[in-house]
């Protein structure tokens, strides 16, 4: 059954949601599924804006065929060639051989890399180029590394619609909803939006800030991303979130405690610390067992909080492996500008603390608190924990 929704005037959504995929990019869990958004602009020339992942290709083709009702497809704009958006291009080319492909030069060469022979029908566009389709004009804006180097976005000057590619996307299947005002985004979606941005695009904060700067010069009525709801009001809310994430600015003055505990003693100390922080009046404290949660969630929370406490057992004379993996993710994604407190545990030859500090010192603008907690097997010294909690609380107040 086709499933098409009108977005505005001549613009339609013809994408689909996927609840079967367990791991996005074969790495990030998506228990709420994901949507692959594709759009069609019906004008004197009909334009398809991106295709979809192979998993939802049959639904997408049915939607496209239903909407066109035998009309010609004149253009296919490819904003981003990652296969979650381009895998179905070959099927569209077979069904609509007259369609011209419009993309950045880099995207066209990457399409060839992925095995799509587009040489005879591809038209390269660059920054500021305009495609007129009749009433509508689409202006192309290059957005390299948001999230791949070939990415561009486009702007419909008539209806003030920004087609933002991966930017402003989120994990989560749409399940009938399409617009941000049809969901309670701040309650039900923001955590997945943060997890999507930080894990997928988080490394490229500077490039995302560039795009946000370019977008700030446009009058935007709606944002059509490639994943998740279309934004048609309250745009500033979501733009502001992206400004925080892309500039590595914490959203929340609070403490994220992440512990790596083998037999529960480090866990016990981490919980006692959380309790002391709350009693110190710290409003936002969250605690995570690094062994019991996928790292993508931890990355997302690290982008959210101003303060992070890393409490790790020593393991094979190093950081507990899952904690090390978390820290390496933070480094890889360029997280910066955070205050970090260190707790280490080791029954003999404790090394986790220094090893964690070494990674943190190789990151940008990370402040490591002087006050630390060293545990030998189990913690029985409340004063140590009090001093640590007070140092964290002071640091929060000072910011
Ligand atoms: Fe949703 Fe970078 O592709």
């Amino acid at each position: 059954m086709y499933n098409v929704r009108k977005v505005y005037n001549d613009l339609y959504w013809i994408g689909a949601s996927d609840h079967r995929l367990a791991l996005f990019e074969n790495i990030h869990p998506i228990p709420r599924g994901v949507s692959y958004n594709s759009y069609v602009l019906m004008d004197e020339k009909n334009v398809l804006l991106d295709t979809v992942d192979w998993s939802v290709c049959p639904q997408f083709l049915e939607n496209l065929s239903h909407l066109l009702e035998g009309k010609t497809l004149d253009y296919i704009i490819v904003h981003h060639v990652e296969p979650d958006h381009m895998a179905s291009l070959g099927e569209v080319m077979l069904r609509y051989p007259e369609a011209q492909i419009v993309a950045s030069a880099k995207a066209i060469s990457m399409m060839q890399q992925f095995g799509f022979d587009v040489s005879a029908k591809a038209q390269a566009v660059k920054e500021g180029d305009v495609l007129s389709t009749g009433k509508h004009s689409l202006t192309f804006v290059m957005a390299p590394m948001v999230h791949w180097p070939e990415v561009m976005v486009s702007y419909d000057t008539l209806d003030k619609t920004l087609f933002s590619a991966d930017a402003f996307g989120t994990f989560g299947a749409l399940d009938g909803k399409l617009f941000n005002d049809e969901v309670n985004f701040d309650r039900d979606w923001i955590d997945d939006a943060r997890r999507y941005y930080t894990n997928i695009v988080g490394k490229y904060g500077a490039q995302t800030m560039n795009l946000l700067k370019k977008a700030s010069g446009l009058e935007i009525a709606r944002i059509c991303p490639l994943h998740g709801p279309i934004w048609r009001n309250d745009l500033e809310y979501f733009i502001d979130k992206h400004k925080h994430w892309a500039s590595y600015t914490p959203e929340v003055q609070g403490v994220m405690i992440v512990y790596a505990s083998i037999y529960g003693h480090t866990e016990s100390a981490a919980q006692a610390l959380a309790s002391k922080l709350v009693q110190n009046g710290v409003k936002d404290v969250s605690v995570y067992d690094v062994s019991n949660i996928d790292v993508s969630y931890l990355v997302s929370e690290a982008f959210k909080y101003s303060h992070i406490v890393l409490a790790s057992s020593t393991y094979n004379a190093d950081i507990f492996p899952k904690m090390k993996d978390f820290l390496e993710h933070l480094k890889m994604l360029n997280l910066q500008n955070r205050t970090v407190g260190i707790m280490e545990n080791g029954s003999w030859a404790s090394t986790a603390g220094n090893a964690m500090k070494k990674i943190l010192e190789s990151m940008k603008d990370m402040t490591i608190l002087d006050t630390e907690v060293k545990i030998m097997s189990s913690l029985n010294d409340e004063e140590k924990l009090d001093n640590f909690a007070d140092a964290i609380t002071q640091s929060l107040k000072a910011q």
Side-chain angles (χ1 to χ4, degrees), residues 11-12 14-15 37-42 45-52 60-61 64 67-68 72-79 85 88-89 92-93 96 99-102 131 138 163:
L11 182 65
Y12 297 84
I14 62 160
N37 297 340
S38 169
Y39 304 94
V40 172
L41 186 64
M42 303 289 287
K45 301 286 184 189
N46 297 317
V47 185
L48 171 68
L49 297 109
D50 296 295
T51 73
V52 294
F60 155 77
L61 290 173
L64 179 59
L67 185 65
L68 287 174
T72 307
L73 179 64
D74 299 285
Y75 294 109
I76 306 166
I77 295 176
V78 177
H79 292 104
H85 308 294
S88 302
L89 180 65
V92 179
M93 287 166 68
Y96 305 93
Q100 289 289 304
I101 294 168
V102 179
L131 177 70
L138 292 161
F163 297 96

mmCIF file of all heavy atoms in Angstrom, residues 11-12 14-15 37-42 45-52 60-61 64 67-68 72-79 85 88-89 92-93 96 99-102 131 138 163:
data_model
loop_
_atom_site.group_PDB
_atom_site.id
_atom_site.type_symbol
_atom_site.label_atom_id
_atom_site.label_comp_id
_atom_site.label_asym_id
_atom_site.label_seq_id
_atom_site.Cartn_x
_atom_site.Cartn_y
_atom_site.Cartn_z
ATOM 1 N N LEU A 11 5.075 19.874 -2.637
ATOM 2 C CA LEU A 11 6.112 18.997 -2.083
ATOM 3 C C LEU A 11 5.493 17.817 -1.321
ATOM 4 O O LEU A 11 4.590 18.011 -0.500
ATOM 5 C CB LEU A 11 7.009 19.813 -1.137
ATOM 6 C CG LEU A 11 8.175 19.061 -0.505
ATOM 7 C CD1 LEU A 11 9.187 18.623 -1.566
ATOM 8 C CD2 LEU A 11 8.871 19.936 0.541
ATOM 9 N N TYR A 12 6.020 16.631 -1.572
ATOM 10 C CA TYR A 12 5.485 15.398 -0.960
ATOM 11 C C TYR A 12 6.622 14.589 -0.340
ATOM 12 O O TYR A 12 7.740 14.564 -0.861
ATOM 13 C CB TYR A 12 4.771 14.547 -2.017
ATOM 14 C CG TYR A 12 3.582 15.254 -2.595
ATOM 15 C CD1 TYR A 12 3.743 16.161 -3.648
ATOM 16 C CD2 TYR A 12 2.304 15.047 -2.082
ATOM 17 C CE1 TYR A 12 2.655 16.847 -4.173
ATOM 18 C CE2 TYR A 12 1.204 15.729 -2.599
ATOM 19 C CZ TYR A 12 1.395 16.616 -3.636
ATOM 20 O OH TYR A 12 0.314 17.303 -4.153
ATOM 21 N N ILE A 14 7.830 10.824 0.372
ATOM 22 C CA ILE A 14 7.563 9.473 -0.136
ATOM 23 C C ILE A 14 8.522 8.451 0.503
ATOM 24 O O ILE A 14 8.811 7.414 -0.083
ATOM 25 C CB ILE A 14 7.644 9.393 -1.682
ATOM 26 C CG1 ILE A 14 9.060 9.758 -2.163
ATOM 27 C CG2 ILE A 14 6.612 10.271 -2.345
ATOM 28 C CD1 ILE A 14 9.337 9.236 -3.565
ATOM 29 N N GLY A 15 9.018 8.764 1.694
ATOM 30 C CA GLY A 15 9.979 7.881 2.361
ATOM 31 C C GLY A 15 9.304 6.714 3.061
ATOM 32 O O GLY A 15 8.151 6.369 2.797
ATOM 33 N N ASN A 37 13.948 9.447 4.640
ATOM 34 C CA ASN A 37 13.051 10.409 4.011
ATOM 35 C C ASN A 37 13.465 10.666 2.567
ATOM 36 O O ASN A 37 14.649 10.847 2.273
ATOM 37 C CB ASN A 37 13.063 11.731 4.776
ATOM 38 C CG ASN A 37 12.545 11.579 6.196
ATOM 39 O OD1 ASN A 37 11.848 10.617 6.501
ATOM 40 N ND2 ASN A 37 12.883 12.512 7.058
ATOM 41 N N SER A 38 12.472 10.693 1.723
ATOM 42 C CA SER A 38 12.677 11.047 0.329
ATOM 43 C C SER A 38 11.520 11.976 -0.031
ATOM 44 O O SER A 38 10.414 11.838 0.501
ATOM 45 C CB SER A 38 12.658 9.779 -0.524
ATOM 46 O OG SER A 38 12.609 10.121 -1.893
ATOM 47 N N TYR A 39 11.794 12.927 -0.925
ATOM 48 C CA TYR A 39 10.782 13.938 -1.235
ATOM 49 C C TYR A 39 10.623 14.059 -2.740
ATOM 50 O O TYR A 39 11.557 13.803 -3.496
ATOM 51 C CB TYR A 39 11.203 15.301 -0.664
ATOM 52 C CG TYR A 39 11.476 15.267 0.827
ATOM 53 C CD1 TYR A 39 12.769 15.081 1.315
ATOM 54 C CD2 TYR A 39 10.440 15.412 1.744
ATOM 55 C CE1 TYR A 39 13.022 15.048 2.686
ATOM 56 C CE2 TYR A 39 10.678 15.384 3.113
ATOM 57 C CZ TYR A 39 11.980 15.196 3.582
ATOM 58 O OH TYR A 39 12.217 15.152 4.933
ATOM 59 N N VAL A 40 9.428 14.472 -3.149
ATOM 60 C CA VAL A 40 9.195 14.768 -4.559
ATOM 61 C C VAL A 40 8.582 16.157 -4.657
ATOM 62 O O VAL A 40 7.627 16.478 -3.940
ATOM 63 C CB VAL A 40 8.243 13.740 -5.214
ATOM 64 C CG1 VAL A 40 7.861 14.191 -6.625
ATOM 65 C CG2 VAL A 40 8.904 12.365 -5.277
ATOM 66 N N LEU A 41 9.151 16.967 -5.544
ATOM 67 C CA LEU A 41 8.612 18.290 -5.839
ATOM 68 C C LEU A 41 7.935 18.207 -7.205
ATOM 69 O O LEU A 41 8.592 17.917 -8.216
ATOM 70 C CB LEU A 41 9.755 19.315 -5.861
ATOM 71 C CG LEU A 41 9.369 20.777 -6.004
ATOM 72 C CD1 LEU A 41 8.545 21.263 -4.811
ATOM 73 C CD2 LEU A 41 10.630 21.632 -6.151
ATOM 74 N N MET A 42 6.613 18.401 -7.207
ATOM 75 C CA MET A 42 5.850 18.313 -8.452
ATOM 76 C C MET A 42 5.743 19.724 -9.037
ATOM 77 O O MET A 42 5.127 20.610 -8.446
ATOM 78 C CB MET A 42 4.444 17.760 -8.185
ATOM 79 C CG MET A 42 4.414 16.408 -7.498
ATOM 80 S SD MET A 42 4.952 15.056 -8.561
ATOM 81 C CE MET A 42 3.560 14.888 -9.669
ATOM 82 N N LYS A 45 8.807 20.680 -14.047
ATOM 83 C CA LYS A 45 9.733 19.542 -14.024
ATOM 84 C C LYS A 45 9.569 18.859 -12.675
ATOM 85 O O LYS A 45 9.572 19.541 -11.643
ATOM 86 C CB LYS A 45 11.194 20.009 -14.175
ATOM 87 C CG LYS A 45 11.474 20.783 -15.453
ATOM 88 C CD LYS A 45 11.504 19.865 -16.640
ATOM 89 C CE LYS A 45 11.890 20.624 -17.913
ATOM 90 N NZ LYS A 45 11.719 19.763 -19.104
ATOM 91 N N ASN A 46 9.427 17.548 -12.687
ATOM 92 C CA ASN A 46 9.241 16.816 -11.426
ATOM 93 C C ASN A 46 10.591 16.343 -10.892
ATOM 94 O O ASN A 46 11.405 15.801 -11.648
ATOM 95 C CB ASN A 46 8.313 15.625 -11.650
ATOM 96 C CG ASN A 46 6.935 16.091 -12.089
ATOM 97 O OD1 ASN A 46 6.408 17.052 -11.540
ATOM 98 N ND2 ASN A 46 6.372 15.440 -13.100
ATOM 99 N N VAL A 47 10.757 16.565 -9.603
ATOM 100 C CA VAL A 47 12.075 16.319 -9.002
ATOM 101 C C VAL A 47 11.950 15.348 -7.835
ATOM 102 O O VAL A 47 11.130 15.545 -6.929
ATOM 103 C CB VAL A 47 12.678 17.644 -8.456
ATOM 104 C CG1 VAL A 47 14.098 17.407 -7.947
ATOM 105 C CG2 VAL A 47 12.662 18.720 -9.514
ATOM 106 N N LEU A 48 12.799 14.333 -7.846
ATOM 107 C CA LEU A 48 12.950 13.456 -6.681
ATOM 108 C C LEU A 48 14.156 13.936 -5.894
ATOM 109 O O LEU A 48 15.232 14.142 -6.465
ATOM 110 C CB LEU A 48 13.171 12.015 -7.154
ATOM 111 C CG LEU A 48 13.552 10.985 -6.083
ATOM 112 C CD1 LEU A 48 12.388 10.743 -5.121
ATOM 113 C CD2 LEU A 48 13.973 9.666 -6.748
ATOM 114 N N LEU A 49 13.960 14.139 -4.594
ATOM 115 C CA LEU A 49 15.081 14.574 -3.753
ATOM 116 C C LEU A 49 15.505 13.400 -2.878
ATOM 117 O O LEU A 49 14.830 13.058 -1.905
ATOM 118 C CB LEU A 49 14.669 15.782 -2.907
ATOM 119 C CG LEU A 49 14.298 17.020 -3.758
ATOM 120 C CD1 LEU A 49 12.804 17.269 -3.712
ATOM 121 C CD2 LEU A 49 15.061 18.243 -3.323
ATOM 122 N N ASP A 50 16.557 12.747 -3.277
ATOM 123 C CA ASP A 50 17.154 11.582 -2.618
ATOM 124 C C ASP A 50 16.264 10.339 -2.710
ATOM 125 O O ASP A 50 15.058 10.434 -2.856
ATOM 126 C CB ASP A 50 17.520 11.870 -1.148
ATOM 127 C CG ASP A 50 18.591 12.945 -1.051
ATOM 128 O OD1 ASP A 50 19.709 12.690 -1.519
ATOM 129 O OD2 ASP A 50 18.281 14.047 -0.557
ATOM 130 N N THR A 51 16.928 9.190 -2.610
ATOM 131 C CA THR A 51 16.184 7.929 -2.574
ATOM 132 C C THR A 51 16.237 7.418 -1.136
ATOM 133 O O THR A 51 16.258 8.228 -0.201
ATOM 134 C CB THR A 51 16.729 6.900 -3.599
ATOM 135 O OG1 THR A 51 17.981 6.363 -3.161
ATOM 136 C CG2 THR A 51 16.874 7.513 -4.975
ATOM 137 N N VAL A 52 16.197 6.114 -0.940
ATOM 138 C CA VAL A 52 16.118 5.541 0.410
ATOM 139 C C VAL A 52 17.038 4.331 0.516
ATOM 140 O O VAL A 52 17.579 3.855 -0.485
ATOM 141 C CB VAL A 52 14.674 5.088 0.745
ATOM 142 C CG1 VAL A 52 13.724 6.280 0.830
ATOM 143 C CG2 VAL A 52 14.189 4.063 -0.271
ATOM 144 N N PHE A 60 9.121 2.597 -1.149
ATOM 145 C CA PHE A 60 9.483 3.892 -1.751
ATOM 146 C C PHE A 60 9.089 3.932 -3.235
ATOM 147 O O PHE A 60 8.509 4.911 -3.715
ATOM 148 C CB PHE A 60 10.985 4.090 -1.541
ATOM 149 C CG PHE A 60 11.682 4.980 -2.517
ATOM 150 C CD1 PHE A 60 11.561 6.362 -2.435
ATOM 151 C CD2 PHE A 60 12.494 4.443 -3.514
ATOM 152 C CE1 PHE A 60 12.218 7.186 -3.334
ATOM 153 C CE2 PHE A 60 13.157 5.258 -4.409
ATOM 154 C CZ PHE A 60 13.017 6.635 -4.324
ATOM 155 N N LEU A 61 9.375 2.838 -3.956
ATOM 156 C CA LEU A 61 9.042 2.810 -5.392
ATOM 157 C C LEU A 61 7.533 2.865 -5.600
ATOM 158 O O LEU A 61 7.040 3.513 -6.530
ATOM 159 C CB LEU A 61 9.631 1.550 -6.038
ATOM 160 C CG LEU A 61 11.161 1.522 -6.163
ATOM 161 C CD1 LEU A 61 11.627 0.153 -6.647
ATOM 162 C CD2 LEU A 61 11.664 2.618 -7.106
ATOM 163 N N LEU A 64 6.512 6.433 -5.039
ATOM 164 C CA LEU A 64 6.926 7.289 -6.157
ATOM 165 C C LEU A 64 5.998 7.099 -7.353
ATOM 166 O O LEU A 64 5.512 8.073 -7.958
ATOM 167 C CB LEU A 64 8.382 6.956 -6.523
ATOM 168 C CG LEU A 64 9.004 7.725 -7.680
ATOM 169 C CD1 LEU A 64 9.000 9.228 -7.427
ATOM 170 C CD2 LEU A 64 10.451 7.246 -7.927
ATOM 171 N N LEU A 67 2.578 8.631 -6.747
ATOM 172 C CA LEU A 67 2.556 10.092 -6.788
ATOM 173 C C LEU A 67 2.691 10.606 -8.215
ATOM 174 O O LEU A 67 1.985 11.540 -8.621
ATOM 175 C CB LEU A 67 3.694 10.653 -5.914
ATOM 176 C CG LEU A 67 3.714 12.164 -5.779
ATOM 177 C CD1 LEU A 67 2.477 12.672 -5.036
ATOM 178 C CD2 LEU A 67 4.967 12.618 -5.038
ATOM 179 N N LEU A 68 3.555 10.009 -8.991
ATOM 180 C CA LEU A 68 3.791 10.507 -10.353
ATOM 181 C C LEU A 68 2.618 10.199 -11.290
ATOM 182 O O LEU A 68 2.394 10.924 -12.262
ATOM 183 C CB LEU A 68 5.086 9.908 -10.921
ATOM 184 C CG LEU A 68 6.395 10.464 -10.333
ATOM 185 C CD1 LEU A 68 7.590 9.688 -10.881
ATOM 186 C CD2 LEU A 68 6.565 11.957 -10.639
ATOM 187 N N THR A 72 6.336 12.215 -16.006
ATOM 188 C CA THR A 72 7.790 12.055 -16.151
ATOM 189 C C THR A 72 8.513 12.460 -14.868
ATOM 190 O O THR A 72 8.102 13.419 -14.208
ATOM 191 C CB THR A 72 8.290 12.993 -17.289
ATOM 192 O OG1 THR A 72 7.503 12.732 -18.437
ATOM 193 C CG2 THR A 72 9.757 12.773 -17.598
ATOM 194 N N LEU A 73 9.558 11.734 -14.553
ATOM 195 C CA LEU A 73 10.472 12.195 -13.499
ATOM 196 C C LEU A 73 11.652 12.840 -14.217
ATOM 197 O O LEU A 73 12.358 12.181 -14.988
ATOM 198 C CB LEU A 73 10.942 11.022 -12.629
ATOM 199 C CG LEU A 73 11.915 11.413 -11.509
ATOM 200 C CD1 LEU A 73 11.245 12.334 -10.492
ATOM 201 C CD2 LEU A 73 12.450 10.171 -10.797
ATOM 202 N N ASP A 74 11.828 14.144 -13.986
ATOM 203 C CA ASP A 74 12.832 14.885 -14.756
ATOM 204 C C ASP A 74 14.200 14.913 -14.079
ATOM 205 O O ASP A 74 15.225 14.857 -14.745
ATOM 206 C CB ASP A 74 12.343 16.321 -14.978
ATOM 207 C CG ASP A 74 11.053 16.336 -15.772
ATOM 208 O OD1 ASP A 74 11.114 16.115 -16.993
ATOM 209 O OD2 ASP A 74 9.977 16.508 -15.158
ATOM 210 N N TYR A 75 14.188 15.068 -12.766
ATOM 211 C CA TYR A 75 15.461 15.196 -12.050
ATOM 212 C C TYR A 75 15.475 14.324 -10.800
ATOM 213 O O TYR A 75 14.449 14.158 -10.139
ATOM 214 C CB TYR A 75 15.702 16.640 -11.596
ATOM 215 C CG TYR A 75 15.896 17.628 -12.722
ATOM 216 C CD1 TYR A 75 14.908 18.571 -13.017
ATOM 217 C CD2 TYR A 75 17.071 17.636 -13.465
ATOM 218 C CE1 TYR A 75 15.081 19.487 -14.040
ATOM 219 C CE2 TYR A 75 17.256 18.553 -14.493
ATOM 220 C CZ TYR A 75 16.260 19.475 -14.777
ATOM 221 O OH TYR A 75 16.440 20.379 -15.792
ATOM 222 N N ILE A 76 16.651 13.844 -10.480
ATOM 223 C CA ILE A 76 16.895 13.205 -9.174
ATOM 224 C C ILE A 76 18.029 14.001 -8.530
ATOM 225 O O ILE A 76 19.159 14.013 -9.046
ATOM 226 C CB ILE A 76 17.348 11.731 -9.317
ATOM 227 C CG1 ILE A 76 16.353 10.941 -10.154
ATOM 228 C CG2 ILE A 76 17.546 11.098 -7.937
ATOM 229 C CD1 ILE A 76 16.905 9.584 -10.630
ATOM 230 N N ILE A 77 17.723 14.662 -7.445
ATOM 231 C CA ILE A 77 18.780 15.377 -6.719
ATOM 232 C C ILE A 77 19.324 14.435 -5.651
ATOM 233 O O ILE A 77 18.564 13.887 -4.844
ATOM 234 C CB ILE A 77 18.235 16.668 -6.071
ATOM 235 C CG1 ILE A 77 17.790 17.647 -7.164
ATOM 236 C CG2 ILE A 77 19.295 17.311 -5.171
ATOM 237 C CD1 ILE A 77 17.147 18.908 -6.640
ATOM 238 N N VAL A 78 20.630 14.247 -5.671
ATOM 239 C CA VAL A 78 21.279 13.396 -4.656
ATOM 240 C C VAL A 78 22.092 14.318 -3.753
ATOM 241 O O VAL A 78 23.134 14.834 -4.156
ATOM 242 C CB VAL A 78 22.176 12.326 -5.319
ATOM 243 C CG1 VAL A 78 22.891 11.505 -4.252
ATOM 244 C CG2 VAL A 78 21.336 11.414 -6.216
ATOM 245 N N HIS A 79 21.591 14.532 -2.544
ATOM 246 C CA HIS A 79 22.312 15.399 -1.607
ATOM 247 C C HIS A 79 23.479 14.667 -0.951
ATOM 248 O O HIS A 79 24.449 15.280 -0.529
ATOM 249 C CB HIS A 79 21.362 15.891 -0.501
ATOM 250 C CG HIS A 79 20.313 16.836 -0.988
ATOM 251 N ND1 HIS A 79 19.000 16.474 -1.181
ATOM 252 C CD2 HIS A 79 20.385 18.141 -1.335
ATOM 253 C CE1 HIS A 79 18.306 17.516 -1.602
ATOM 254 N NE2 HIS A 79 19.115 18.538 -1.709
ATOM 255 N N HIS A 85 20.715 6.406 1.767
ATOM 256 C CA HIS A 85 19.907 7.323 0.954
ATOM 257 C C HIS A 85 20.032 7.056 -0.535
ATOM 258 O O HIS A 85 19.186 7.505 -1.303
ATOM 259 C CB HIS A 85 20.298 8.777 1.238
ATOM 260 C CG HIS A 85 20.283 9.084 2.707
ATOM 261 N ND1 HIS A 85 19.116 9.072 3.431
ATOM 262 C CD2 HIS A 85 21.284 9.335 3.584
ATOM 263 C CE1 HIS A 85 19.406 9.334 4.712
ATOM 264 N NE2 HIS A 85 20.704 9.479 4.820
ATOM 265 N N SER A 88 18.863 2.915 -3.430
ATOM 266 C CA SER A 88 17.753 2.629 -4.354
ATOM 267 C C SER A 88 17.861 3.418 -5.658
ATOM 268 O O SER A 88 16.940 3.373 -6.482
ATOM 269 C CB SER A 88 16.415 2.941 -3.666
ATOM 270 O OG SER A 88 16.305 2.179 -2.476
ATOM 271 N N LEU A 89 18.958 4.129 -5.841
ATOM 272 C CA LEU A 89 19.109 4.956 -7.051
ATOM 273 C C LEU A 89 19.039 4.116 -8.324
ATOM 274 O O LEU A 89 18.411 4.511 -9.308
ATOM 275 C CB LEU A 89 20.444 5.715 -6.988
ATOM 276 C CG LEU A 89 20.747 6.621 -8.182
ATOM 277 C CD1 LEU A 89 19.753 7.767 -8.278
ATOM 278 C CD2 LEU A 89 22.178 7.170 -8.090
ATOM 279 N N VAL A 92 15.555 3.376 -9.371
ATOM 280 C CA VAL A 92 14.873 4.565 -9.915
ATOM 281 C C VAL A 92 15.362 4.827 -11.344
ATOM 282 O O VAL A 92 14.568 5.121 -12.244
ATOM 283 C CB VAL A 92 15.118 5.802 -9.016
ATOM 284 C CG1 VAL A 92 14.429 7.035 -9.616
ATOM 285 C CG2 VAL A 92 14.597 5.553 -7.604
ATOM 286 N N MET A 93 16.666 4.670 -11.548
ATOM 287 C CA MET A 93 17.213 4.916 -12.894
ATOM 288 C C MET A 93 16.632 3.941 -13.914
ATOM 289 O O MET A 93 16.370 4.293 -15.067
ATOM 290 C CB MET A 93 18.744 4.792 -12.851
ATOM 291 C CG MET A 93 19.423 5.968 -12.163
ATOM 292 S SD MET A 93 21.160 5.626 -11.761
ATOM 293 C CE MET A 93 21.899 5.536 -13.365
ATOM 294 N N TYR A 96 12.909 5.106 -14.412
ATOM 295 C CA TYR A 96 12.740 6.464 -14.953
ATOM 296 C C TYR A 96 14.019 6.861 -15.675
ATOM 297 O O TYR A 96 14.759 7.752 -15.234
ATOM 298 C CB TYR A 96 12.416 7.454 -13.817
ATOM 299 C CG TYR A 96 11.195 7.019 -13.014
ATOM 300 C CD1 TYR A 96 11.334 6.251 -11.854
ATOM 301 C CD2 TYR A 96 9.908 7.348 -13.444
ATOM 302 C CE1 TYR A 96 10.222 5.829 -11.134
ATOM 303 C CE2 TYR A 96 8.787 6.926 -12.737
ATOM 304 C CZ TYR A 96 8.965 6.166 -11.579
ATOM 305 O OH TYR A 96 7.852 5.747 -10.877
ATOM 306 N N ALA A 99 15.342 10.545 -16.289
ATOM 307 C CA ALA A 99 15.677 11.479 -15.199
ATOM 308 C C ALA A 99 17.164 11.830 -15.212
ATOM 309 O O ALA A 99 18.020 10.955 -15.329
ATOM 310 C CB ALA A 99 15.300 10.869 -13.858
ATOM 311 N N GLN A 100 17.434 13.112 -15.078
ATOM 312 C CA GLN A 100 18.811 13.602 -14.949
ATOM 313 C C GLN A 100 19.195 13.619 -13.475
ATOM 314 O O GLN A 100 18.367 13.989 -12.633
ATOM 315 C CB GLN A 100 18.920 15.035 -15.490
ATOM 316 C CG GLN A 100 18.794 15.144 -16.998
ATOM 317 C CD GLN A 100 20.015 14.583 -17.713
ATOM 318 O OE1 GLN A 100 21.129 15.021 -17.455
ATOM 319 N NE2 GLN A 100 19.803 13.613 -18.586
ATOM 320 N N ILE A 101 20.419 13.251 -13.192
ATOM 321 C CA ILE A 101 20.873 13.242 -11.787
ATOM 322 C C ILE A 101 21.645 14.528 -11.501
ATOM 323 O O ILE A 101 22.539 14.902 -12.274
ATOM 324 C CB ILE A 101 21.742 12.004 -11.520
ATOM 325 C CG1 ILE A 101 20.856 10.763 -11.646
ATOM 326 C CG2 ILE A 101 22.382 12.071 -10.141
ATOM 327 C CD1 ILE A 101 21.615 9.478 -11.693
ATOM 328 N N VAL A 102 21.272 15.167 -10.426
ATOM 329 C CA VAL A 102 21.904 16.435 -10.041
ATOM 330 C C VAL A 102 22.585 16.233 -8.688
ATOM 331 O O VAL A 102 21.931 15.815 -7.729
ATOM 332 C CB VAL A 102 20.847 17.562 -9.943
ATOM 333 C CG1 VAL A 102 21.497 18.873 -9.514
ATOM 334 C CG2 VAL A 102 20.104 17.716 -11.262
ATOM 335 N N LEU A 131 18.727 25.340 -9.737
ATOM 336 C CA LEU A 131 17.967 24.505 -10.667
ATOM 337 C C LEU A 131 16.539 25.028 -10.673
ATOM 338 O O LEU A 131 15.855 25.007 -9.643
ATOM 339 C CB LEU A 131 17.982 23.039 -10.207
ATOM 340 C CG LEU A 131 17.160 22.071 -11.053
ATOM 341 C CD1 LEU A 131 17.803 21.854 -12.419
ATOM 342 C CD2 LEU A 131 16.991 20.723 -10.336
ATOM 343 N N LEU A 138 15.642 25.748 -6.939
ATOM 344 C CA LEU A 138 16.417 25.117 -5.863
ATOM 345 C C LEU A 138 17.862 25.611 -5.937
ATOM 346 O O LEU A 138 18.525 25.448 -6.964
ATOM 347 C CB LEU A 138 16.365 23.597 -6.008
ATOM 348 C CG LEU A 138 14.975 22.984 -5.762
ATOM 349 C CD1 LEU A 138 14.879 21.597 -6.369
ATOM 350 C CD2 LEU A 138 14.679 22.930 -4.271
ATOM 351 N N PHE A 163 16.263 21.575 2.323
ATOM 352 C CA PHE A 163 16.486 20.123 2.295
ATOM 353 C C PHE A 163 17.881 19.910 2.871
ATOM 354 O O PHE A 163 18.887 20.223 2.234
ATOM 355 C CB PHE A 163 16.364 19.606 0.866
ATOM 356 C CG PHE A 163 14.981 19.809 0.302
ATOM 357 C CD1 PHE A 163 14.704 20.920 -0.493
ATOM 358 C CD2 PHE A 163 13.959 18.928 0.588
ATOM 359 C CE1 PHE A 163 13.423 21.140 -0.997
ATOM 360 C CE2 PHE A 163 12.672 19.129 0.097
ATOM 361 C CZ PHE A 163 12.402 20.245 -0.698
#
